[in-house]
Amino acid sequence: MRKAVILSLFVLTAPAASAQSFGDFLRGVLGNETEEETTSQTSNFNISASDADAGLRQALTIGAQAVGQQLSQYNGYFGDGDIRIPLPGRLGELQSQLSRLGLSGPLDDLQERMNHAAEDAAPYAADLVVDAVSSITMGDALEILNGGDTAATNYLRGRTEADLMVLVEPYMRSALEDSGALTMVDSVAGRYGLQSLSGDLRDQLIDHAVERGLDGLFFYLAKEEQEIRSNPVKRSTDLLRRVFGG
C-alpha cells in the first residue's frame, strides 16, 4: 500500500519523463522494501510524498489567488464570453424575446449589474477556495491520480462546491445589492407584469449568480492547474519547481 501511494503521488506531480527515467523510478519503488524510505529517487527525481502533497496544495492556492485577481477586474465576468453569466429562468427568456425587438435594455442592464456583482464577490470566493484546499489529504492522491491534468481542481470542486455555494451566498447577495441589481429586479418585475414573482426572481438571481460565479472561478482554476503542470514558467516557487520540475 505504501508503494502504491508513493507511486500515485509521483505520477500525479512529476513532469513528463523519458521512458528510461520512469522505468528507473518504477524499479526504485518496487525494489525497495525499507519502511523508512519515504522519498522516490531516480537519476532525475527526488520527490518526497510530503513535498508532493505540499506542492499540490500550493499549486491550487496560487491558482485560486490568481483567478480571484483576474475575475475581480472590471469586466472580469461580463467581458469574458467563456464565463459571462446570463440571466436565469424567466428573466433570461424575457430578455431573449425582447432583444429581437430591440426592447431588452432594462434586462441587459440587469445582466451587466449581476456580472459586475460577481466580479466584486470573486476575491471572497477565491479566498474560500483557498481555505477549502486544506480538505485535500495525502490519501486523496489515489483518486486524483485517476483524472487528467485538471484532476486536482475537479476533485476539489466535487468535494467542496456545495459548501462553497452556501459560504459565497452572503458575499454575492451584498454585491448584488450594492450594484443595484436586486432593486432593478423589482423594477423589471413591475415593468413586465411580474410583480407577484419579484421575491422569487430576487432569490433566483442570487442563487444563479453564486452558481455561475463559481463555475467561472473553477473554469479558470482548472486552466491554472494545467498551466502549472505543463508550463515551467508558471512554477513560481522552489517547491513547485521541485515537485513539477523546471
PDB file of all heavy atoms in Angstrom, residues 198-233:
ATOM      1  N   SER A 198     -41.669  38.880  -7.878  1.00  0.00           N
ATOM      2  CA  SER A 198     -40.499  39.705  -7.576  1.00  0.00           C
ATOM      3  C   SER A 198     -39.570  39.051  -6.556  1.00  0.00           C
ATOM      4  O   SER A 198     -38.349  38.977  -6.759  1.00  0.00           O
ATOM      5  CB  SER A 198     -40.947  41.077  -7.067  1.00  0.00           C
ATOM      6  OG  SER A 198     -39.828  41.898  -6.816  1.00  0.00           O
ATOM      7  N   GLY A 199     -40.125  38.547  -5.445  1.00  0.00           N
ATOM      8  CA  GLY A 199     -39.296  37.908  -4.422  1.00  0.00           C
ATOM      9  C   GLY A 199     -38.606  36.666  -4.942  1.00  0.00           C
ATOM     10  O   GLY A 199     -37.408  36.450  -4.691  1.00  0.00           O
ATOM     11  N   ASP A 200     -39.349  35.845  -5.691  1.00  0.00           N
ATOM     12  CA  ASP A 200     -38.769  34.635  -6.262  1.00  0.00           C
ATOM     13  C   ASP A 200     -37.665  34.971  -7.261  1.00  0.00           C
ATOM     14  O   ASP A 200     -36.639  34.277  -7.331  1.00  0.00           O
ATOM     15  CB  ASP A 200     -39.840  33.791  -6.955  1.00  0.00           C
ATOM     16  CG  ASP A 200     -40.820  33.164  -5.975  1.00  0.00           C
ATOM     17  OD1 ASP A 200     -40.467  33.050  -4.782  1.00  0.00           O
ATOM     18  OD2 ASP A 200     -41.931  32.793  -6.400  1.00  0.00           O
ATOM     19  N   LEU A 201     -37.886  36.018  -8.039  1.00  0.00           N
ATOM     20  CA  LEU A 201     -36.888  36.416  -9.036  1.00  0.00           C
ATOM     21  C   LEU A 201     -35.610  36.890  -8.365  1.00  0.00           C
ATOM     22  O   LEU A 201     -34.507  36.642  -8.865  1.00  0.00           O
ATOM     23  CB  LEU A 201     -37.452  37.510  -9.942  1.00  0.00           C
ATOM     24  CG  LEU A 201     -38.588  37.089 -10.890  1.00  0.00           C
ATOM     25  CD1 LEU A 201     -39.132  38.298 -11.633  1.00  0.00           C
ATOM     26  CD2 LEU A 201     -38.112  36.021 -11.874  1.00  0.00           C
ATOM     27  N   ARG A 202     -35.730  37.577  -7.243  1.00  0.00           N
ATOM     28  CA  ARG A 202     -34.548  38.006  -6.492  1.00  0.00           C
ATOM     29  C   ARG A 202     -33.744  36.793  -6.022  1.00  0.00           C
ATOM     30  O   ARG A 202     -32.520  36.733  -6.211  1.00  0.00           O
ATOM     31  CB  ARG A 202     -34.975  38.829  -5.270  1.00  0.00           C
ATOM     32  CG  ARG A 202     -35.241  40.296  -5.523  1.00  0.00           C
ATOM     33  CD  ARG A 202     -35.798  40.942  -4.260  1.00  0.00           C
ATOM     34  NE  ARG A 202     -35.706  42.392  -4.310  1.00  0.00           N
ATOM     35  CZ  ARG A 202     -34.945  43.119  -3.505  1.00  0.00           C
ATOM     36  NH1 ARG A 202     -34.194  42.539  -2.588  1.00  0.00           N
ATOM     37  NH2 ARG A 202     -34.921  44.432  -3.613  1.00  0.00           N
ATOM     38  N   ASP A 203     -34.439  35.849  -5.388  1.00  0.00           N
ATOM     39  CA  ASP A 203     -33.759  34.658  -4.883  1.00  0.00           C
ATOM     40  C   ASP A 203     -33.118  33.871  -6.025  1.00  0.00           C
ATOM     41  O   ASP A 203     -32.005  33.351  -5.894  1.00  0.00           O
ATOM     42  CB  ASP A 203     -34.748  33.760  -4.129  1.00  0.00           C
ATOM     43  CG  ASP A 203     -35.209  34.383  -2.816  1.00  0.00           C
ATOM     44  OD1 ASP A 203     -34.520  35.283  -2.313  1.00  0.00           O
ATOM     45  OD2 ASP A 203     -36.266  33.956  -2.313  1.00  0.00           O
ATOM     46  N   GLN A 204     -33.842  33.783  -7.138  1.00  0.00           N
ATOM     47  CA  GLN A 204     -33.319  33.063  -8.297  1.00  0.00           C
ATOM     48  C   GLN A 204     -32.065  33.728  -8.836  1.00  0.00           C
ATOM     49  O   GLN A 204     -31.094  33.049  -9.207  1.00  0.00           O
ATOM     50  CB  GLN A 204     -34.402  33.014  -9.386  1.00  0.00           C
ATOM     51  CG  GLN A 204     -34.077  32.092 -10.553  1.00  0.00           C
ATOM     52  CD  GLN A 204     -35.214  32.049 -11.553  1.00  0.00           C
ATOM     53  OE1 GLN A 204     -35.309  32.928 -12.417  1.00  0.00           O
ATOM     54  NE2 GLN A 204     -36.085  31.057 -11.433  1.00  0.00           N
ATOM     55  N   LEU A 205     -32.080  35.060  -8.860  1.00  0.00           N
ATOM     56  CA  LEU A 205     -30.917  35.796  -9.366  1.00  0.00           C
ATOM     57  C   LEU A 205     -29.713  35.560  -8.467  1.00  0.00           C
ATOM     58  O   LEU A 205     -28.589  35.344  -8.953  1.00  0.00           O
ATOM     59  CB  LEU A 205     -31.236  37.288  -9.436  1.00  0.00           C
ATOM     60  CG  LEU A 205     -30.186  38.148 -10.162  1.00  0.00           C
ATOM     61  CD1 LEU A 205     -30.320  37.966 -11.669  1.00  0.00           C
ATOM     62  CD2 LEU A 205     -30.357  39.625  -9.800  1.00  0.00           C
ATOM     63  N   ILE A 206     -29.916  35.594  -7.150  1.00  0.00           N
ATOM     64  CA  ILE A 206     -28.809  35.387  -6.210  1.00  0.00           C
ATOM     65  C   ILE A 206     -28.227  33.987  -6.365  1.00  0.00           C
ATOM     66  O   ILE A 206     -27.009  33.810  -6.499  1.00  0.00           O
ATOM     67  CB  ILE A 206     -29.281  35.618  -4.763  1.00  0.00           C
ATOM     68  CG1 ILE A 206     -29.659  37.080  -4.546  1.00  0.00           C
ATOM     69  CG2 ILE A 206     -28.193  35.207  -3.769  1.00  0.00           C
ATOM     70  CD1 ILE A 206     -30.425  37.341  -3.263  1.00  0.00           C
ATOM     71  N   ASP A 207     -29.106  32.974  -6.340  1.00  0.00           N
ATOM     72  CA  ASP A 207     -28.630  31.590  -6.446  1.00  0.00           C
ATOM     73  C   ASP A 207     -27.905  31.354  -7.766  1.00  0.00           C
ATOM     74  O   ASP A 207     -26.866  30.679  -7.812  1.00  0.00           O
ATOM     75  CB  ASP A 207     -29.810  30.614  -6.335  1.00  0.00           C
ATOM     76  CG  ASP A 207     -30.432  30.602  -4.951  1.00  0.00           C
ATOM     77  OD1 ASP A 207     -29.787  31.098  -4.003  1.00  0.00           O
ATOM     78  OD2 ASP A 207     -31.570  30.103  -4.816  1.00  0.00           O
ATOM     79  N   HIS A 208     -28.450  31.922  -8.831  1.00  0.00           N
ATOM     80  CA  HIS A 208     -27.857  31.755 -10.157  1.00  0.00           C
ATOM     81  C   HIS A 208     -26.491  32.431 -10.227  1.00  0.00           C
ATOM     82  O   HIS A 208     -25.531  31.853 -10.776  1.00  0.00           O
ATOM     83  CB  HIS A 208     -28.803  32.363 -11.198  1.00  0.00           C
ATOM     84  CG  HIS A 208     -28.337  32.232 -12.611  1.00  0.00           C
ATOM     85  ND1 HIS A 208     -28.323  31.037 -13.299  1.00  0.00           N
ATOM     86  CD2 HIS A 208     -27.873  33.174 -13.493  1.00  0.00           C
ATOM     87  CE1 HIS A 208     -27.883  31.234 -14.526  1.00  0.00           C
ATOM     88  NE2 HIS A 208     -27.588  32.524 -14.659  1.00  0.00           N
ATOM     89  N   ALA A 209     -26.385  33.632  -9.658  1.00  0.00           N
ATOM     90  CA  ALA A 209     -25.105  34.344  -9.682  1.00  0.00           C
ATOM     91  C   ALA A 209     -24.047  33.591  -8.889  1.00  0.00           C
ATOM     92  O   ALA A 209     -22.874  33.539  -9.296  1.00  0.00           O
ATOM     93  CB  ALA A 209     -25.282  35.756  -9.125  1.00  0.00           C
ATOM     94  N   VAL A 210     -24.435  33.002  -7.767  1.00  0.00           N
ATOM     95  CA  VAL A 210     -23.489  32.212  -6.975  1.00  0.00           C
ATOM     96  C   VAL A 210     -23.018  31.002  -7.770  1.00  0.00           C
ATOM     97  O   VAL A 210     -21.807  30.729  -7.879  1.00  0.00           O
ATOM     98  CB  VAL A 210     -24.132  31.755  -5.650  1.00  0.00           C
ATOM     99  CG1 VAL A 210     -23.253  30.722  -4.959  1.00  0.00           C
ATOM    100  CG2 VAL A 210     -24.356  32.953  -4.731  1.00  0.00           C
ATOM    101  N   GLU A 211     -23.961  30.262  -8.324  1.00  0.00           N
ATOM    102  CA  GLU A 211     -23.617  29.036  -9.055  1.00  0.00           C
ATOM    103  C   GLU A 211     -22.740  29.324 -10.258  1.00  0.00           C
ATOM    104  O   GLU A 211     -21.693  28.690 -10.447  1.00  0.00           O
ATOM    105  CB  GLU A 211     -24.896  28.326  -9.492  1.00  0.00           C
ATOM    106  CG  GLU A 211     -24.649  27.032 -10.261  1.00  0.00           C
ATOM    107  CD  GLU A 211     -25.928  26.348 -10.696  1.00  0.00           C
ATOM    108  OE1 GLU A 211     -27.027  26.810 -10.324  1.00  0.00           O
ATOM    109  OE2 GLU A 211     -25.834  25.346 -11.427  1.00  0.00           O
ATOM    110  N   ARG A 212     -23.152  30.282 -11.069  1.00  0.00           N
ATOM    111  CA  ARG A 212     -22.383  30.566 -12.273  1.00  0.00           C
ATOM    112  C   ARG A 212     -21.087  31.314 -11.962  1.00  0.00           C
ATOM    113  O   ARG A 212     -20.108  31.195 -12.706  1.00  0.00           O
ATOM    114  CB  ARG A 212     -23.247  31.366 -13.253  1.00  0.00           C
ATOM    115  CG  ARG A 212     -24.457  30.608 -13.771  1.00  0.00           C
ATOM    116  CD  ARG A 212     -24.102  29.322 -14.520  1.00  0.00           C
ATOM    117  NE  ARG A 212     -23.465  29.616 -15.778  1.00  0.00           N
ATOM    118  CZ  ARG A 212     -24.117  29.703 -16.943  1.00  0.00           C
ATOM    119  NH1 ARG A 212     -25.438  29.530 -16.979  1.00  0.00           N
ATOM    120  NH2 ARG A 212     -23.468  29.970 -18.049  1.00  0.00           N
ATOM    121  N   GLY A 213     -21.086  32.066 -10.872  1.00  0.00           N
ATOM    122  CA  GLY A 213     -19.838  32.701 -10.456  1.00  0.00           C
ATOM    123  C   GLY A 213     -18.790  31.671 -10.097  1.00  0.00           C
ATOM    124  O   GLY A 213     -17.611  31.789 -10.477  1.00  0.00           O
ATOM    125  N   LEU A 214     -19.193  30.625  -9.373  1.00  0.00           N
ATOM    126  CA  LEU A 214     -18.257  29.548  -9.037  1.00  0.00           C
ATOM    127  C   LEU A 214     -17.864  28.758 -10.279  1.00  0.00           C
ATOM    128  O   LEU A 214     -16.725  28.290 -10.388  1.00  0.00           O
ATOM    129  CB  LEU A 214     -18.878  28.620  -7.994  1.00  0.00           C
ATOM    130  CG  LEU A 214     -18.932  29.174  -6.565  1.00  0.00           C
ATOM    131  CD1 LEU A 214     -19.705  28.232  -5.651  1.00  0.00           C
ATOM    132  CD2 LEU A 214     -17.524  29.407  -6.012  1.00  0.00           C
ATOM    133  N   ASP A 215     -18.794  28.601 -11.226  1.00  0.00           N
ATOM    134  CA  ASP A 215     -18.442  27.943 -12.490  1.00  0.00           C
ATOM    135  C   ASP A 215     -17.256  28.656 -13.142  1.00  0.00           C
ATOM    136  O   ASP A 215     -16.304  28.016 -13.610  1.00  0.00           O
ATOM    137  CB  ASP A 215     -19.629  27.972 -13.465  1.00  0.00           C
ATOM    138  CG  ASP A 215     -20.698  26.946 -13.139  1.00  0.00           C
ATOM    139  OD1 ASP A 215     -20.438  26.039 -12.319  1.00  0.00           O
ATOM    140  OD2 ASP A 215     -21.807  27.060 -13.704  1.00  0.00           O
ATOM    141  N   GLY A 216     -17.335  29.980 -13.183  1.00  0.00           N
ATOM    142  CA  GLY A 216     -16.264  30.754 -13.800  1.00  0.00           C
ATOM    143  C   GLY A 216     -14.962  30.623 -13.054  1.00  0.00           C
ATOM    144  O   GLY A 216     -13.885  30.502 -13.660  1.00  0.00           O
ATOM    145  N   LEU A 217     -15.042  30.625 -11.728  1.00  0.00           N
ATOM    146  CA  LEU A 217     -13.831  30.508 -10.914  1.00  0.00           C
ATOM    147  C   LEU A 217     -13.158  29.154 -11.140  1.00  0.00           C
ATOM    148  O   LEU A 217     -11.949  29.081 -11.366  1.00  0.00           O
ATOM    149  CB  LEU A 217     -14.175  30.704  -9.447  1.00  0.00           C
ATOM    150  CG  LEU A 217     -12.997  30.875  -8.473  1.00  0.00           C
ATOM    151  CD1 LEU A 217     -13.433  31.727  -7.289  1.00  0.00           C
ATOM    152  CD2 LEU A 217     -12.466  29.544  -7.971  1.00  0.00           C
ATOM    153  N   PHE A 218     -13.926  28.079 -11.108  1.00  0.00           N
ATOM    154  CA  PHE A 218     -13.341  26.753 -11.303  1.00  0.00           C
ATOM    155  C   PHE A 218     -12.893  26.534 -12.754  1.00  0.00           C
ATOM    156  O   PHE A 218     -11.940  25.789 -13.010  1.00  0.00           O
ATOM    157  CB  PHE A 218     -14.331  25.669 -10.884  1.00  0.00           C
ATOM    158  CG  PHE A 218     -14.384  25.444  -9.402  1.00  0.00           C
ATOM    159  CD1 PHE A 218     -15.509  25.758  -8.663  1.00  0.00           C
ATOM    160  CD2 PHE A 218     -13.296  24.918  -8.727  1.00  0.00           C
ATOM    161  CE1 PHE A 218     -15.556  25.556  -7.293  1.00  0.00           C
ATOM    162  CE2 PHE A 218     -13.319  24.710  -7.358  1.00  0.00           C
ATOM    163  CZ  PHE A 218     -14.456  25.025  -6.650  1.00  0.00           C
ATOM    164  N   PHE A 219     -13.560  27.191 -13.688  1.00  0.00           N
ATOM    165  CA  PHE A 219     -13.150  27.109 -15.092  1.00  0.00           C
ATOM    166  C   PHE A 219     -11.711  27.597 -15.242  1.00  0.00           C
ATOM    167  O   PHE A 219     -10.873  26.940 -15.887  1.00  0.00           O
ATOM    168  CB  PHE A 219     -14.093  27.967 -15.948  1.00  0.00           C
ATOM    169  CG  PHE A 219     -13.719  28.066 -17.405  1.00  0.00           C
ATOM    170  CD1 PHE A 219     -14.049  27.061 -18.292  1.00  0.00           C
ATOM    171  CD2 PHE A 219     -13.037  29.181 -17.884  1.00  0.00           C
ATOM    172  CE1 PHE A 219     -13.708  27.156 -19.645  1.00  0.00           C
ATOM    173  CE2 PHE A 219     -12.700  29.290 -19.225  1.00  0.00           C
ATOM    174  CZ  PHE A 219     -13.038  28.272 -20.106  1.00  0.00           C
ATOM    175  N   TYR A 220     -11.410  28.740 -14.621  1.00  0.00           N
ATOM    176  CA  TYR A 220     -10.057  29.279 -14.755  1.00  0.00           C
ATOM    177  C   TYR A 220      -9.075  28.647 -13.783  1.00  0.00           C
ATOM    178  O   TYR A 220      -7.868  28.609 -14.060  1.00  0.00           O
ATOM    179  CB  TYR A 220     -10.082  30.800 -14.615  1.00  0.00           C
ATOM    180  CG  TYR A 220     -10.444  31.463 -15.922  1.00  0.00           C
ATOM    181  CD1 TYR A 220     -11.660  32.129 -16.085  1.00  0.00           C
ATOM    182  CD2 TYR A 220      -9.596  31.379 -17.024  1.00  0.00           C
ATOM    183  CE1 TYR A 220     -12.004  32.708 -17.298  1.00  0.00           C
ATOM    184  CE2 TYR A 220      -9.934  31.946 -18.239  1.00  0.00           C
ATOM    185  CZ  TYR A 220     -11.136  32.605 -18.377  1.00  0.00           C
ATOM    186  OH  TYR A 220     -11.474  33.164 -19.585  1.00  0.00           O
ATOM    187  N   LEU A 221      -9.557  28.117 -12.672  1.00  0.00           N
ATOM    188  CA  LEU A 221      -8.655  27.385 -11.780  1.00  0.00           C
ATOM    189  C   LEU A 221      -8.137  26.131 -12.474  1.00  0.00           C
ATOM    190  O   LEU A 221      -6.957  25.782 -12.341  1.00  0.00           O
ATOM    191  CB  LEU A 221      -9.368  27.011 -10.482  1.00  0.00           C
ATOM    192  CG  LEU A 221      -8.518  26.271  -9.444  1.00  0.00           C
ATOM    193  CD1 LEU A 221      -7.284  27.088  -9.052  1.00  0.00           C
ATOM    194  CD2 LEU A 221      -9.349  25.951  -8.203  1.00  0.00           C
ATOM    195  N   ALA A 222      -8.999  25.468 -13.238  1.00  0.00           N
ATOM    196  CA  ALA A 222      -8.564  24.293 -13.997  1.00  0.00           C
ATOM    197  C   ALA A 222      -7.487  24.683 -15.009  1.00  0.00           C
ATOM    198  O   ALA A 222      -6.496  23.957 -15.197  1.00  0.00           O
ATOM    199  CB  ALA A 222      -9.753  23.656 -14.712  1.00  0.00           C
ATOM    200  N   LYS A 223      -7.651  25.834 -15.641  1.00  0.00           N
ATOM    201  CA  LYS A 223      -6.640  26.295 -16.599  1.00  0.00           C
ATOM    202  C   LYS A 223      -5.321  26.612 -15.889  1.00  0.00           C
ATOM    203  O   LYS A 223      -4.240  26.333 -16.430  1.00  0.00           O
ATOM    204  CB  LYS A 223      -7.146  27.522 -17.361  1.00  0.00           C
ATOM    205  CG  LYS A 223      -8.237  27.192 -18.374  1.00  0.00           C
ATOM    206  CD  LYS A 223      -8.602  28.406 -19.198  1.00  0.00           C
ATOM    207  CE  LYS A 223      -9.595  28.053 -20.290  1.00  0.00           C
ATOM    208  NZ  LYS A 223      -9.036  27.119 -21.296  1.00  0.00           N
ATOM    209  N   GLU A 224      -5.409  27.191 -14.698  1.00  0.00           N
ATOM    210  CA  GLU A 224      -4.202  27.472 -13.926  1.00  0.00           C
ATOM    211  C   GLU A 224      -3.487  26.169 -13.561  1.00  0.00           C
ATOM    212  O   GLU A 224      -2.254  26.084 -13.623  1.00  0.00           O
ATOM    213  CB  GLU A 224      -4.553  28.252 -12.656  1.00  0.00           C
ATOM    214  CG  GLU A 224      -4.881  29.711 -12.883  1.00  0.00           C
ATOM    215  CD  GLU A 224      -3.660  30.525 -13.268  1.00  0.00           C
ATOM    216  OE1 GLU A 224      -2.566  30.284 -12.719  1.00  0.00           O
ATOM    217  OE2 GLU A 224      -3.795  31.407 -14.124  1.00  0.00           O
ATOM    218  N   GLU A 225      -4.246  25.155 -13.162  1.00  0.00           N
ATOM    219  CA  GLU A 225      -3.632  23.870 -12.835  1.00  0.00           C
ATOM    220  C   GLU A 225      -2.938  23.275 -14.057  1.00  0.00           C
ATOM    221  O   GLU A 225      -1.802  22.779 -13.964  1.00  0.00           O
ATOM    222  CB  GLU A 225      -4.679  22.888 -12.309  1.00  0.00           C
ATOM    223  CG  GLU A 225      -4.067  21.545 -11.924  1.00  0.00           C
ATOM    224  CD  GLU A 225      -5.086  20.502 -11.512  1.00  0.00           C
ATOM    225  OE1 GLU A 225      -6.284  20.836 -11.355  1.00  0.00           O
ATOM    226  OE2 GLU A 225      -4.688  19.335 -11.344  1.00  0.00           O
ATOM    227  N   GLN A 226      -3.601  23.331 -15.207  1.00  0.00           N
ATOM    228  CA  GLN A 226      -2.988  22.830 -16.440  1.00  0.00           C
ATOM    229  C   GLN A 226      -1.679  23.555 -16.731  1.00  0.00           C
ATOM    230  O   GLN A 226      -0.677  22.929 -17.107  1.00  0.00           O
ATOM    231  CB  GLN A 226      -3.950  23.027 -17.611  1.00  0.00           C
ATOM    232  CG  GLN A 226      -5.133  22.086 -17.617  1.00  0.00           C
ATOM    233  CD  GLN A 226      -6.095  22.402 -18.754  1.00  0.00           C
ATOM    234  OE1 GLN A 226      -6.410  23.564 -19.019  1.00  0.00           O
ATOM    235  NE2 GLN A 226      -6.570  21.378 -19.427  1.00  0.00           N
ATOM    236  N   GLU A 227      -1.692  24.874 -16.555  1.00  0.00           N
ATOM    237  CA  GLU A 227      -0.505  25.670 -16.842  1.00  0.00           C
ATOM    238  C   GLU A 227       0.638  25.313 -15.893  1.00  0.00           C
ATOM    239  O   GLU A 227       1.792  25.168 -16.327  1.00  0.00           O
ATOM    240  CB  GLU A 227      -0.833  27.160 -16.721  1.00  0.00           C
ATOM    241  CG  GLU A 227      -1.556  27.735 -17.918  1.00  0.00           C
ATOM    242  CD  GLU A 227      -0.635  27.862 -19.110  1.00  0.00           C
ATOM    243  OE1 GLU A 227       0.345  28.612 -19.040  1.00  0.00           O
ATOM    244  OE2 GLU A 227      -0.880  27.171 -20.112  1.00  0.00           O
ATOM    245  N   ILE A 228       0.336  25.182 -14.615  1.00  0.00           N
ATOM    246  CA  ILE A 228       1.390  24.859 -13.654  1.00  0.00           C
ATOM    247  C   ILE A 228       1.967  23.477 -13.937  1.00  0.00           C
ATOM    248  O   ILE A 228       3.179  23.263 -13.807  1.00  0.00           O
ATOM    249  CB  ILE A 228       0.841  24.944 -12.212  1.00  0.00           C
ATOM    250  CG1 ILE A 228       0.606  26.415 -11.842  1.00  0.00           C
ATOM    251  CG2 ILE A 228       1.808  24.308 -11.210  1.00  0.00           C
ATOM    252  CD1 ILE A 228      -0.085  26.619 -10.516  1.00  0.00           C
ATOM    253  N   ARG A 229       1.132  22.540 -14.345  1.00  0.00           N
ATOM    254  CA  ARG A 229       1.613  21.193 -14.661  1.00  0.00           C
ATOM    255  C   ARG A 229       2.472  21.171 -15.925  1.00  0.00           C
ATOM    256  O   ARG A 229       3.426  20.409 -16.018  1.00  0.00           O
ATOM    257  CB  ARG A 229       0.438  20.230 -14.850  1.00  0.00           C
ATOM    258  CG  ARG A 229      -0.293  19.838 -13.575  1.00  0.00           C
ATOM    259  CD  ARG A 229      -1.467  18.916 -13.936  1.00  0.00           C
ATOM    260  NE  ARG A 229      -2.268  18.536 -12.787  1.00  0.00           N
ATOM    261  CZ  ARG A 229      -2.030  17.483 -12.009  1.00  0.00           C
ATOM    262  NH1 ARG A 229      -0.993  16.721 -12.251  1.00  0.00           N
ATOM    263  NH2 ARG A 229      -2.828  17.194 -11.007  1.00  0.00           N
ATOM    264  N   SER A 230       2.120  22.008 -16.911  1.00  0.00           N
ATOM    265  CA  SER A 230       2.745  21.881 -18.229  1.00  0.00           C
ATOM    266  C   SER A 230       3.749  22.972 -18.570  1.00  0.00           C
ATOM    267  O   SER A 230       4.588  22.778 -19.443  1.00  0.00           O
ATOM    268  CB  SER A 230       1.663  21.859 -19.317  1.00  0.00           C
ATOM    269  OG  SER A 230       0.956  23.092 -19.343  1.00  0.00           O
ATOM    270  N   ASN A 231       3.660  24.120 -17.889  1.00  0.00           N
ATOM    271  CA  ASN A 231       4.477  25.268 -18.278  1.00  0.00           C
ATOM    272  C   ASN A 231       5.448  25.635 -17.155  1.00  0.00           C
ATOM    273  O   ASN A 231       5.037  26.162 -16.120  1.00  0.00           O
ATOM    274  CB  ASN A 231       3.565  26.457 -18.598  1.00  0.00           C
ATOM    275  CG  ASN A 231       4.347  27.664 -19.096  1.00  0.00           C
ATOM    276  OD1 ASN A 231       5.567  27.646 -19.176  1.00  0.00           O
ATOM    277  ND2 ASN A 231       3.626  28.726 -19.427  1.00  0.00           N
ATOM    278  N   PRO A 232       6.755  25.405 -17.350  1.00  0.00           N
ATOM    279  CA  PRO A 232       7.738  25.716 -16.299  1.00  0.00           C
ATOM    280  C   PRO A 232       7.702  27.164 -15.834  1.00  0.00           C
ATOM    281  O   PRO A 232       8.011  27.455 -14.671  1.00  0.00           O
ATOM    282  CB  PRO A 232       9.076  25.382 -16.966  1.00  0.00           C
ATOM    283  CG  PRO A 232       8.737  24.386 -18.025  1.00  0.00           C
ATOM    284  CD  PRO A 232       7.382  24.779 -18.532  1.00  0.00           C
ATOM    285  N   VAL A 233       7.316  28.074 -16.712  1.00  0.00           N
ATOM    286  CA  VAL A 233       7.286  29.489 -16.351  1.00  0.00           C
ATOM    287  C   VAL A 233       6.275  29.749 -15.234  1.00  0.00           C
ATOM    288  O   VAL A 233       6.453  30.661 -14.427  1.00  0.00           O
ATOM    289  CB  VAL A 233       6.940  30.349 -17.588  1.00  0.00           C
ATOM    290  CG1 VAL A 233       6.774  31.814 -17.209  1.00  0.00           C
ATOM    291  CG2 VAL A 233       8.026  30.199 -18.643  1.00  0.00           C
TER     292      VAL A 233
END
